[in-house]
Amino acid sequence: MDPIVDLDFIDNRTPEQAAACDTKVTEETNTGKSRKLYIESYGCAMNFSDSEIVSSIMFDQGFDTTSEIEQADLVFLNTCSIREKAEQTVRNRLGQINYYKKKKPEMMIGILGCMAERLKKSLLEEEKIVDLVVGPDAYRDLPNLVNNVDSGQKAVNVLLSREETYADINPIRLNSNGVSAFISIMRGCDNMCSFCVVPFTRGRERSRDAYSIVREAEALVAQGYKEVTLLGQNVDSYKWASEDGAETVNFAQLLEKVALVAPNLRVRFSTSHPKDITDEVLHTMKKYDNICKYIHLPAQSGNSRVLELMNRTYDRAWYINRVDAIRNILGEDCGISSDMIAGFCSETEEEHQDTLSLMDYVQYDYSYMFFYSERPGTLAARKLEDDVPLEVKKRRLAEIIEKQRETSLARNQRDVGKVHKVLVEGFSKKSEEQLSGRNDQNKVVIFDKKHYKKGDYVNVFVHDCSVGTLFGEAVD
Ligand code: SAH
Ligand code: SF4
Ligand code: F3S
């Protein structure tokens, strides 16, 4: 898959990574229930994972899921507030959904997730077709709220919680290909990066019971899954204690417990915060073959003054130290990716150059790249001036994207001529004669199908590459 480049975004992700950022509609459950739920997810993997929890809660209330909006009695949009554009996308979508609602006036429309939390009941006034507004910690209240709408009232619950982790809810795997699944290990974020709306939309950080995570991984293995991705905004600050306090589990220890569930279960995780990633985590990764050698380590900027304004609580030297630790402990082949923000408040041309030089130093396999979008209520919106002109932001972003294309290609070229162990996720986008999967470093590998199928581990000799994909042939 070649990357689609636009000035806001570079897309050289696997279908699953793309799914974690783009809309995806519900898979069908079709068990003959009387009513149907259609749910679309936007934003990060946490939202996609939450939609699986929501579907499970609504299933118990008599709702099958459908992928046909026309069939739905209940339509949920699980929304994202991270950038202005993300919210605009949802508002535009509501305009389209209005068309379906006109044809079927009894259709209920709910806004879930981060926009619901940020805008609260004002969403009901701004978007007349919306019946329910439900924040990310209030999903257990959905049956009750839907009953309210059934009896003719609008319904809002945006209470945040310090405890809710939905640990006991068995997600309906809407976003899964049957090979790879998400497991949320924590919720919320306590970091207060100055540009970021997440602490306001997701509340305080809390870690989920380690043993409920292990049980979920075991259940997935029993169902034939081959890969899990442990999700949190900052997985390295995972910390759980048993009720009597006798046992505590940090992220390295959790990773080990999940790796031990089954030797052929691949374990991935996201996102690592540079301030918290420890050598202990890196050594645990090294110790277990089934923990993938790939780290998403968002830098945001390569300049220490800008990082301080962003309240990232590390500087360039610290970040480089963490990258060096990854290279020393896990070797040059460990995949590293980043998120970058172009044109943050008061960023100068020289400071922007520091981001480009950091990218040269690290040689990221890929990055998610954005220009700064001021979010109401954040520290930056309150204290800093959004003073880099849009044209400058866009030009800097284009330079960052171009740099990433070069490094992605260079990193992929290193993989040519080697054999990679690939977990097959399905057919390639272009042909059912070819399969697509990912190697340990999270890169997409395409090869001729032969007798292989979804869920197989296949050794693939890579003979060619593009910016976003490796091409090869099975050698088993
Ligand atoms: N918890 C993750 C990031 C989650 S948000 C971390 O700390 O790395 C995903 C990415 O969106 C961020 O890494 C950042 O690059 C981008 N982002 C967040 N707020 C933004 C804003 N106001 N403008 C532009 N990009 C933003
Ligand atoms: Fe946002 Fe920072 Fe928390 Fe990531 S760590 S979610 S960027 S506040
Ligand atoms: Fe968006 Fe909320 Fe995730 S703001 S990025 S959906 S935590």
Side-chain angles (χ1 to χ4, degrees):
M1 180 175 63
D2 273 333
I4 305 155
V5 181
D6 83 26
L7 281 182
D8 198 19
F9 196 56
I10 182 168
D11 193 340
N12 57 1
R13 303 158 299 165
T14 65
E16 276 62 40
Q17 289 163 338
C21 281
D22 301 335
T23 320
K24 188 164 182 240
V25 295
T26 315
E27 302 290 326
E28 310 268 349
T29 49
N30 276 337
T31 61
K33 292 196 183 291
S34 58
R35 299 211 278 178
K36 284 193 168 16
L37 163 69
Y38 169 92
I39 182 164
E40 265 178 24
S41 310
Y42 297 79
C44 66
M46 296 293 300
N47 254 15
F48 284 75
S49 169
D50 281 1
S51 290
E52 299 185 335
I53 289 167
V54 167
S55 296
S56 173
I57 293 171
M58 296 315 296
F59 187 79
D60 290 344
Q61 288 300 311
F63 284 85
D64 265 327
T65 54
T66 174
S67 57
E68 302 294 332
I69 190 167
E70 288 97 334
Q71 290 188 5
D73 303 286
L74 179 58
V75 172
F76 283 160
L77 303 187
N78 195 357
T79 61
C80 174
S81 285
I82 201 82
R83 285 167 290 276
E84 198 182 335
K85 195 175 163 189
E87 291 197 354
Q88 201 48 54
T89 305
V90 169
R91 290 189 189 270
N92 294 346
R93 183 66 179 136
L94 280 173
Q96 295 164 355
I97 288 173
N98 201 11
Y99 163 82
Y100 298 104
K101 172 125 178 160
K102 277 196 181 127
K103 287 205 291 191
K104 190 174 178 183
E106 70 279 13
M107 183 186 262
M108 285 185 258
I109 315 282
I111 298 288
L112 315 184
C114 293
M115 256 178 101
E117 192 61 48
R118 194 178 86 73
L119 296 163
K120 306 191 168 50
K121 69 172 188 314
S122 66
L123 254 179
L124 290 179
E125 283 133 42
E126 290 167 25
E127 304 289 348
K128 295 286 182 239
I129 66 163
V130 173
D131 302 300
L132 287 116
V133 175
V134 190
D137 285 347
Y139 297 147
R140 282 182 206 269
D141 197 25
L142 275 168
N144 181 32
L145 298 166
V146 168
N147 282 341
N148 287 352
V149 178
D150 275 337
S151 58
Q153 296 158 291
K154 300 234 168 183
V156 180
N157 187 343
V158 289
L159 286 176
L160 288 171
S161 157
R162 282 176 177 254
E163 285 97 35
E164 181 62 89
T165 59
Y166 300 111
D168 57 315
I169 291 179
N170 192 10
I172 293 179
R173 305 281 166 193
L174 304 174
N175 305 303
S176 171
N177 48 16
V179 176
S180 182
F182 295 132
I183 303 183
S184 286
I185 64 162
M186 58 204 297
R187 301 180 69 83
C189 182
D190 282 350
N191 284 315
M192 299 303 270
C193 300
S194 63
F195 52 79
C196 184
V197 80
V198 172
F200 304 95
T201 61
R202 293 255 161 192
R204 298 305 295 268
E205 189 173 287
R206 64 219 98 120
S207 297
R208 177 177 160 189
D209 182 325
Y211 292 97
S212 81
I213 295 166
V214 170
R215 282 195 300 274
E216 189 169 337
E218 287 168 348
L220 286 163
V221 170
Q223 291 163 41
Y225 282 83
K226 298 285 177 57
E227 180 177 273
V228 292
T229 303
L230 308 181
L231 294 180
Q233 293 299 348
N234 175 7
V235 290
D236 299 278
S237 70
Y238 177 89
K239 195 144 204 61
W240 174 80
S242 59
E243 238 161 61
D244 59 3
E247 187 186 8
T248 58
V249 179
N250 68 15
F251 182 58
Q253 292 160 334
L254 177 73
L255 210 44
E256 177 155 48
K257 284 185 195 303
V258 179
L260 287 169
V261 165
N264 71 345
L265 179 72
R266 274 189 171 174
V267 184
R268 299 187 184 278
F269 54 89
S270 184
T271 300
S272 301
H273 196 296
K275 82 176 160 65
D276 290 322
I277 189 165
T278 59
D279 288 357
E280 188 191 359
V281 167
L282 302 178
H283 286 297
T284 306
M285 289 175 74
K286 187 180 167 79
K287 188 168 159 194
Y288 293 95
D289 275 350
N290 60 333
I291 305 180
C292 290
K293 306 298 178 278
Y294 159 66
I295 301 175
H296 184 52
L297 193 72
Q300 314 296 358
S301 164
N303 176 269
S304 296
R305 189 190 74 91
V306 174
L307 286 168
E308 191 174 347
L309 284 179
M310 288 176 162
N311 200 26
R312 287 292 284 182
T313 69
Y314 55 84
D315 60 10
R316 180 184 173 99
W318 173 278
Y319 188 88
I320 286 179
N321 168 284
R322 294 293 77 210
V323 170
D324 290 347
I326 294 169
R327 297 280 180 237
N328 289 335
I329 295 169
L330 293 167
E332 284 300 314
D333 285 340
C334 182
I336 306 180
S337 60
S338 185
D339 294 347
M340 292 296 186
I341 298 179
F344 188 62
C345 309
S346 79
E347 183 190 69
T348 65
E349 216 48 53
E350 293 70 40
E351 290 166 341
H352 162 62
Q353 290 298 326
D354 285 344
T355 297
L356 297 176
S357 74
L358 182 72
M359 295 174 79
D360 276 332
Y361 182 85
V362 181
Q363 294 284 301
Y364 293 110
D365 292 86
Y366 55 89
S367 292
Y368 303 92
M369 296 159 280
F370 316 98
F371 61 76
Y372 173 58
S373 161
E374 187 179 84
R375 307 310 292 130
T378 55
L379 279 174
R382 282 182 280 143
K383 300 245 160 54
L384 303 171
E385 201 186 333
D386 181 14
D387 55 358
V388 177
L390 185 60
E391 289 322 301
V392 176
K393 286 179 182 173
K394 287 190 170 177
R395 195 250 307 144
R396 288 181 191 168
L397 178 62
E399 288 171 16
I400 289 173
I401 290 171
E402 187 48 38
K403 173 70 71 189
Q404 187 54 55
R405 286 182 69 90
E406 287 163 20
T407 35
S408 291
L409 189 61
R411 286 289 293 178
N412 287 354
Q413 280 162 348
R414 282 170 46 99
D415 294 329
V416 174
K418 294 178 191 157
V419 173
H420 298 252
K421 187 175 172 188
V422 176
L423 173 59
V424 180
E425 294 174 0
F427 294 120
S428 90
K429 271 193 171 171
K430 288 186 186 142
S431 156
E432 296 212 345
E433 291 309 308
Q434 290 190 314
L435 295 173
S436 168
R438 277 177 293 158
N439 71 0
D440 209 8
Q441 286 74 29
N442 211 31
K443 290 184 186 173
V444 179
V445 185
I446 309 278
F447 60 97
D448 285 345
K449 180 172 74 175
K450 294 188 183 161
H451 57 283
Y452 298 105
K453 60 183 186 317
K454 190 162 97 169
D456 287 347
Y457 284 105
V458 183
N459 287 322
V460 178
F461 176 79
V462 168
H463 52 65
D464 201 1
C465 71
S466 67
V467 172
T469 313
L470 304 177
F471 303 97
E473 66 186 271
V475 292
D476 272 5

